Amino acid sequence: WTIQYQAEVCLWSDSKSTVDGIVAIQEGSWVPHGALCDNHDLWQQVEALLADIPEGNFCACWTPSHLDAILCTSDQEEWQATWNDIADGLAVSANVSRSMEYQRLKTNAQQHFALWSQRLRLLRRFYFQVADAKTAEAEVVDLTLSESFQWQELGISMALSDALPISWNAQLSSSEVQLKYPMEFVCALFDVVFHIESSADSFAPVSFVEIAIWCIHEINLPFPFWNTSTLRWDLKPYSAVL
């Protein structure tokens, strides 16, 4: 109205947040565009309308709500109380007289936000349960040989090369034997063990973890890596894939 008739207008409202928002926009201390606030779409419209009003033609003032006109001490207070009460009545009447289309949109919106509120609560509870879950203790592998461990009781009395049959290589190469890893890797591992044990003074049991670390750090034995492109094993030093 003030834009159309270029008239000076003072808007009175019992919503202090609304008045404070309008004043902040006019003073340049708040820009609703892109701001995260309630009713941000309406505030952007207010900002656009205020930009079209000539400076000095519009102001917003706050008045307390539900004033008793009988207790007012001035004509100004009585005027504010009377017309604010009339405005409240009109707002209540308009709100209860909403169209069926509005009621349908309101119901759909309430159901939508209730659904997402429930989903967020479930997601929040899930993450709290994950955070509260106890982390499984990492397995600690002791690579040291305990002095109290009687490894002699395992029956280790000869070298591996002497314990294996002479035809072990041919037996492993048989089509009836299916190895988990390529034959080249198995033979290379045995050859290294045979070479080292030939100069050893005694024998002791070792774990698979110890063998793996030994192959990586001591002899740089090529390990098998499955090639998804060729669908075959590739033998290469472990350091080559780091």
Side-chain angles (χ1 to χ4, degrees):
W1 191 83
T2 185
I3 294 175
Q4 181 177 354
Y5 296 102
Q6 296 295 305
E8 295 183 6
V9 172
C10 181
L11 174 68
W12 289 86
S13 173
D14 59 8
S15 173
K16 193 171 188 308
S17 61
T18 300
V19 173
D20 290 344
I22 292 174
V23 173
I25 294 174
Q26 289 181 311
E27 292 178 348
S29 59
W30 181 50
V31 179
H33 184 72
L36 296 177
C37 61
D38 293 336
N39 304 314
H40 64 277
D41 54 333
L42 297 180
W43 277 113
Q44 290 177 12
Q45 295 181 42
V46 171
E47 179 186 25
L49 291 172
L50 290 175
D52 292 337
I53 298 177
E55 184 176 359
N57 275 20
F58 181 84
C59 67
C61 297
W62 175 73
T63 180
S65 59
H66 308 296
L67 290 175
D68 189 343
I70 298 177
L71 301 178
C72 293
T73 59
S74 66
D75 292 341
Q76 176 67 27
E77 289 184 356
E78 184 177 350
W79 178 86
Q80 291 176 220
T82 300
W83 286 101
N84 188 66
D85 186 59
I86 293 174
D88 281 343
L90 290 174
V92 171
S93 177
N95 195 42
V96 298
S97 302
R98 301 282 188 178
S99 65
M100 292 300 297
E101 178 65 16
Y102 169 82
Q103 297 296 343
R104 185 183 65 81
L105 291 174
K106 178 183 176 181
T107 300
N108 291 341
Q110 289 175 332
Q111 293 175 348
H112 170 80
F113 288 113
L115 174 62
W116 277 101
S117 178
Q118 180 184 17
R119 290 175 176 175
L120 289 174
R121 285 195 299 270
L122 291 175
L123 186 62
R124 182 172 178 266
R125 185 173 66 179
F126 167 76
Y127 279 115
F128 279 159
Q129 290 176 346
V130 171
D132 293 338
K134 293 183 179 179
T135 304
E137 295 184 1
E139 180 183 1
V140 178
V141 180
D142 186 7
L143 299 180
T144 61
L145 184 61
S146 174
E147 295 181 357
S148 62
F149 181 72
Q150 301 298 323
W151 59 268
Q152 294 86 352
E153 297 180 0
L154 296 177
I156 304 175
S157 59
M158 64 177 65
L160 181 62
S161 56
D162 296 331
L164 291 177
I166 298 178
S167 60
W168 69 268
N169 196 312
Q171 292 181 27
L172 289 180
S173 302
S174 172
S175 58
E176 297 179 357
V177 177
Q178 300 204 1
L179 299 176
K180 185 177 181 180
Y181 298 106
M183 183 63 182
E184 295 84 350
F185 171 71
V186 177
C187 291
L189 181 59
F190 273 107
D191 289 341
V192 171
V193 173
F194 294 161
H195 175 72
I196 293 178
E197 71 177 6
S198 62
S199 58
D201 297 329
S202 60
F203 307 105
V206 293
S207 66
F208 286 108
V209 175
E210 289 173 300
I211 292 177
I213 296 177
W214 174 59
C215 291
I216 294 173
H217 291 282
E218 299 297 333
I219 61 176
N220 199 27
L221 182 72
F223 272 74
F225 293 91
W226 183 252
N227 191 324
T228 56
S229 300
T230 61
L231 300 179
R232 298 183 61 181
W233 289 103
D234 290 339
L235 293 179
K236 48 189 173 182
Y238 188 78
S239 57
V241 298
L242 296 180

